[in-house]
Amino acid sequence: MPSKNSCLTLASVAVLVVLSGPATTGPALAATQPTVAAASTSSQVHASAVPTGFVDLAARPLPADGERHEFPVTYRNDTTADRTVAPQLLVVSPDAGPFLAPSDITLERRTADGRWEAVRVGTQTGTLFTDLSAARRVLHAGETLTEVYRLTVVGPQATGTVQPRVALFG
């Protein structure tokens, strides 16, 4: 039976495979693809669309109490150069199932003005995930990114793990 780390590694590899060939891997992760116009402008733009790594933050059990729970995703660019990053929230199903469905949770993101907006999640092999392409931003040297998500478990039988992380590009 695969471990949760194996599932996260598999999900990361799946993202890279999908970015390399979305027509053969399905629509769930194709949301991480650059737009057709951006992809056709140069191979350098396409190459920068693929994450070069991930910074995993502290995972927590999926809170299935029906209450709203906040999950901050924070990353500091400690380099001397600008860095493109994307915060992401993964909700990983138990290894033995049952797999979670997007309808098992509601997810929101706090906007710059303090409001909460709904966030759609994709699903692949038992992992729910937020879209990397919509979350990408450039952090200047020394800047810190903090994105706050609010998650509510709707399905009373839902179990799993919440894994915040930051995708690194280029």
Side-chain angles (χ1 to χ4, degrees):
M1 212 174 281
S3 69
K4 289 190 186 345
N5 285 340
S6 295
C7 290
L8 289 176
T9 301
L10 180 60
S12 297
V13 169
V15 168
L16 294 175
V17 168
V18 168
L19 289 172
S20 300
T24 61
T25 57
L29 293 177
T32 62
Q33 280 291 311
T35 62
V36 173
S40 64
T41 57
S42 79
S43 61
Q44 187 174 15
V45 170
H46 179 69
S48 68
V50 178
T52 56
F54 292 91
V55 176
D56 290 328
L57 304 173
R60 296 185 355 207
L62 182 65
D65 58 7
E67 300 292 322
R68 294 177 174 155
H69 295 270
E70 291 185 11
F71 290 86
V73 178
T74 302
Y75 175 78
R76 180 169 174 76
N77 180 4
D78 287 330
T79 70
T80 57
D82 290 351
R83 173 153 234 177
T84 301
V85 301
Q88 186 175 48
L89 201 65
L90 303 174
V91 182
V92 182
S93 296
D95 291 340
F99 287 155
L100 294 165
S103 60
D104 288 329
I105 66 169
T106 59
L107 187 63
E108 301 166 289
R109 183 186 66 83
R110 188 174 15 219
T111 63
D113 63 0
R115 293 178 303 108
W116 292 99
E117 67 181 7
V119 175
R120 292 182 357 146
V121 295
T123 182
Q124 184 79 24
T125 15
T127 299
L128 307 178
F129 58 89
T130 57
D131 180 26
L132 288 176
S133 63
R136 284 177 57 145
R137 64 203 66 189
V138 174
L139 279 184
H140 300 293
E143 282 186 335
T144 299
L145 162 78
T146 299
E147 196 74 57
V148 180
Y149 293 95
R150 186 166 69 178
L151 182 135
T152 307
V153 176
V154 178
Q157 303 302 321
T159 60
T161 304
V162 180
Q163 173 66 61
R165 68 182 187 173
V166 176
L168 306 175
F169 297 84

